[in-house]
Amino acid sequence: NNTALIHRLQEPTLTGRDLKTKERLGFYLYALECITEVKETDEIIEMMNDGTFLTQCINTTNDDYGVDAVYIDEENHKINLFNFQYAENFNASNVTLPYSHINNSSRFLSLLDQDIEHLDKEKRTYLFLKNIKELIHTGNVPYDITLYYVSNAGYTESAQQNVDLASLASDYSIRIESCCLDYFLPFIKP
């Protein structure tokens, strides 16, 4: 539940972190819970690939290659990749998705069809890529891959409206979904 996520951010591993960092990291966990419907904090943390999150919460390093979290739903044959963007200051005039941030994810996506043996085999990025590659290249069932652009900002442009994102989706045969402020409002209870 949400309370468990908040308690996790208050654990000693985050002592001394500023409030904005706690808010940002908490938003990542909250967003994953809302989108994936996974409620167990430990399971959500296992999805995390974000270098900053892993350094500050788990005390390990990782180059995330532009994908901050990975959720594999083997039962439904879905691979969900997440690119988080947390706005510390709300600006109502920001209605267009910033393509440059999500385009960073192409570094990760390009590795799905390339050799990854040069990556550190102990890091999460390698482990996620290895698992995904095994599923999509050796399995008998095709997997749908969706890249979620997740932000606490109030963007009104959908991923489908952005020509650059449509091109990225086409290049890698994936779907791209934007989950911004309006997406999360129904999850907030008064």
Side-chain angles (χ1 to χ4, degrees), residues 69-145:
V70 176
Y71 174 60
I72 299 172
D73 180 353
E74 290 189 43
E75 183 178 322
N76 294 304
H77 310 290
K78 295 179 187 275
I79 297 168
N80 300 302
L81 309 174
F82 298 87
N83 179 295
F84 296 117
Q85 296 302 318
Y86 184 83
E88 291 186 12
N89 299 308
F90 182 76
N91 182 348
S93 65
N94 285 347
V95 296
T96 304
L97 293 169
Y99 172 68
S100 61
H101 292 297
I102 201 166
N103 191 39
N104 290 337
S105 300
S106 65
R107 293 176 51 219
F108 186 97
L109 293 167
S110 69
L111 290 172
L112 293 176
D113 290 320
Q114 295 179 17
D115 179 47
I116 60 170
E117 293 308 309
H118 65 282
L119 298 177
D120 186 335
K121 292 167 186 53
E122 301 296 318
K123 303 296 181 183
R124 285 198 184 188
T125 296
Y126 173 83
L127 298 172
F128 281 131
L129 282 165
K130 183 175 185 264
N131 191 13
I132 293 168
K133 289 170 73 81
E134 287 172 1
L135 290 171
I136 63 175
H137 295 301
T138 61
N140 295 330
V141 179
Y143 273 76
D144 292 322
I145 300 176

Side-chain angles (χ1 to χ4, degrees), residues 25-66:
L25 299 178
F27 173 72
Y28 293 176
L29 297 174
Y30 177 72
L32 284 171
E33 179 181 347
C34 293
I35 296 167
T36 66
E37 299 180 359
V38 172
K39 303 297 183 203
E40 295 298 320
T41 305
D42 290 339
E43 288 180 44
I44 294 170
I45 290 173
E46 287 302 312
M47 296 177 204
M48 292 303 300
N49 192 51
D50 178 65
T52 302
F53 182 94
L54 294 173
T55 297
Q56 296 189 9
C57 294
I58 302 178
N59 206 24
T60 187
T61 59
N62 186 57
D63 182 346
D64 58 41
Y65 282 76

